[in-house]
């Protein structure tokens, strides 16, 4: 029930009609300029720019890469494989692995794909139904919508800290109890928070197109997360511009987007990476919790 409240709160801002970019950025704790890196072209990135890219990525868990227009803008997206690893395919990938994120109206693609509609995409991590979710999600804006279509980001660490401070028992269950997420023929079972070598990664999704087997002990915890992440007060909200690519650490940040009008064109190109490249040592995934208390017994 509380979830519905939050969804309505997001919906009240439908199409961003009441949302003015400046107000949103002021409300966000991070200035979007701090995470934006302007370059000419990914294939021509300089060493200092590379360093800056990793520095922003590791510090903020996401980067907005702003490139100069290219005749084939997808070249910039595909060139990121050098830094972020092999492309991970999705059932709607084209030959290069790219998934178009655009409103396809009523088509077979939209029945289990929110990304192929103009609807709000509730906060999630990508590939939660995959045994190996992508480590990095890249989304390149080709055509922004005039109204709505805002990107939303929530830090997994904020969710974790919120639970630790207010719902410690529920957090404990989210670390110890696995749950199963299924979409189409794909299914994966894991705990919401998984610790590895002192760093925690989070997987989360809760919407109508996937099915989740939530054990009864986790019902309350799952609702608490749904409420927390879908509350605009806990989100960073910004609008991607054409030729900008947002790169997300899919283990440390959750993302979503607001709805946009049905009659407006909006197009993003999405590409998933596995994080294994000659630059892997420069990339840090997951977050280190402020308190290690709950990590006892984990590897
Ligand atoms: O449309 C967007 O901005 C986000 C879409 C998304 O999260 C996805 O395709 O997984
Ligand atoms: Fe996504």
């Amino acid at each position: 029930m509380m979830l519905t409240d939050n969804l309505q709160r997001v919906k009240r801002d439908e199409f961003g009609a009441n949302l003015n970019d400046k107000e949103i950025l002021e409300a966000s704790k991070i200035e979007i300029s701090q995470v934006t890196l302007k370059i000419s072209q990914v294939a021509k990135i300089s060493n200092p720019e590379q360093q800056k890219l990793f520095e922003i990525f590791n510090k903020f868990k996401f980067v907005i890469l702003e490139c100069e227009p290219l005749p084939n803008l997808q070249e910039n997206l595909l060139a990121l494989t050098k830094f972020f690893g092999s492309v991970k395919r999705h059932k709607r990938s084209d030959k290069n692995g790219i998934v178009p994120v655009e409103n396809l109206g009523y088509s077979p693609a939209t029945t289990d794909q929110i990304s192929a509609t103009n609807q709000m995409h509730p906060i999630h991590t990508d590939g939660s139904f995959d045994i190996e979710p992508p480590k990095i999600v890249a989304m390149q804006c080709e055509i922004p919508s005039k109204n709505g279509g805002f990107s939303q980001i929530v830090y997994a660490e904020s969710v974790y800290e919120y639970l630790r401070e207010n719902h410690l028992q529920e957090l404990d269950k989210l670390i110890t109890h696995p749950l199963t997420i299924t979409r189409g023929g794909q299914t994966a079972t894991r705990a919401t928070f998984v610790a590895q070598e002192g760093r925690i990664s989070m997987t989360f999704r809760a919407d109508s197109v996937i099915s989740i087997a939530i054990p009864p002990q986790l019902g309350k915890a799952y609702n608490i997360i749904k409420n927390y992440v879908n509350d605009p007060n806990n989100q960073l909200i910004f609008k991607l511009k054409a030729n900008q690519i947002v790169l997300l650490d899919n283990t440390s940040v959750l993302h979503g987007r607001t709805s946009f009008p049905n009659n407006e064109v909006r197009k993003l190109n999405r590409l998933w990476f596995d994080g294994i490249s000659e630059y892997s040592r420069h990339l840090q995934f997951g977050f280190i919790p402020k308190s290690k208390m709950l990590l006892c017994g984990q590897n």
Side-chain angles (χ1 to χ4, degrees), residues 54-104:
F54 296 132
E55 195 184 299
I56 301 175
F57 184 86
N58 291 330
K59 182 165 176 198
F60 294 99
K61 314 294 186 190
F62 76 105
V63 186
I64 297 172
L65 205 51
E66 190 167 312
C67 304
E68 282 168 13
L70 267 185
N72 174 7
L73 82 170
Q74 294 192 352
E75 270 176 33
N76 277 324
L77 191 59
L78 294 166
L80 289 167
T81 184
K82 177 177 171 191
F83 305 111
F84 296 103
S86 301
V87 166
K88 271 191 67 73
R89 299 185 62 80
H90 175 272
K91 70 173 187 183
R92 291 204 302 121
S93 292
D94 70 8
K95 63 177 193 320
N96 295 318
I98 295 176
V99 175
V101 174
E102 60 190 334
N103 183 11
L104 299 178

Side-chain angles (χ1 to χ4, degrees), residues 211-228:
S211 77
I212 320 173
I214 304 177
Q217 313 91 294
L218 287 185
K220 179 176 171 198
Y222 224 66
N223 271 323
I224 294 171
I225 301 184
K226 273 199 270 189
N227 276 310
Y228 182 88

Side-chain angles (χ1 to χ4, degrees), residues 121 124-126 137 139 255-256 270 272:
H121 203 322
H124 62 284
T125 55
D126 273 10
V137 173
M139 288 185 286
H255 65 279
R270 192 185 72 206
W272 286 351

